[in-house]
Amino acid sequence: MKKCNLPLFTFYFILITLICLILTLGNPHSTSWPLKCPLYQFTGLQCPLCGMQRSIHELFHGNITEAWTLNPGFIIFSSYWIIVLLGMFFPNMQKNNGIVEFCCRDKTILLALLGLVIWGIARNIIY
């Protein structure tokens, strides 16, 4: 039975906590600090993650509608990737939880990546 790699998990936990704190306290709408998307800067096309930083900021402030408006694909796919990360850091969850086990399968991960690519194409056609 595999165990969680505690030092690696601790590092990622601290890193994610710091990023969340920065995105909560800073306002990406009124400052120039958020990273700019290179694809958007050079081509004018939005990648699947464009608007992610502003969307996270709005989610942390309880503005779900605004977050959805900024990037609905991110809201949908982020919940999936959270489940995958939990399954990677806590391998025992894969055996005890059918949803985590399903999300961590290779074919499911490939389908999620394909969905992300399709979202990246669709958002440029729709908007």
Side-chain angles (χ1 to χ4, degrees):
M1 186 177 337
K2 291 170 76 176
K3 293 189 177 184
C4 176
N5 184 344
L6 194 57
L8 186 62
F9 175 77
T10 305
F11 170 75
Y12 282 123
F13 179 78
I14 291 170
L15 181 66
I16 290 170
T17 303
L18 287 174
I19 291 170
C20 290
L21 187 63
I22 290 168
L23 288 171
T24 301
L25 298 177
N27 187 352
H29 296 288
S30 62
T31 60
S32 61
W33 66 265
L35 299 173
K36 305 293 184 208
C37 176
L39 180 68
Y40 186 74
Q41 293 292 318
F42 291 119
T43 66
L45 298 173
Q46 294 183 339
C47 76
L49 299 177
C50 277
M52 176 188 70
Q53 295 169 353
R54 291 173 290 149
S55 181
I56 292 172
H57 175 78
E58 295 299 335
L59 278 175
F60 287 155
H61 289 276
N63 303 327
I64 297 171
T65 307
E66 181 65 22
W68 181 265
T69 304
L70 290 167
N71 191 339
F74 170 72
I75 306 291
I76 294 168
F77 287 108
S78 63
S79 57
Y80 169 77
W81 291 110
I82 288 170
I83 292 171
V84 170
L85 286 173
L86 286 173
M88 288 172 57
F89 284 118
F90 301 103
N92 292 337
M93 286 181 71
Q94 290 183 24
K95 295 179 178 142
N96 300 330
N97 189 323
I99 294 172
V100 176
E101 180 184 351
F102 174 77
C103 288
C104 290
R105 291 181 186 160
D106 290 341
K107 288 181 182 179
T108 310
I109 292 173
L110 287 175
L111 282 173
L113 290 172
L114 178 64
L116 203 58
V117 170
I118 291 171
W119 165 242
I121 295 169
R123 78 180 303 189
N124 287 296
I125 294 172
I126 294 170
Y127 298 112

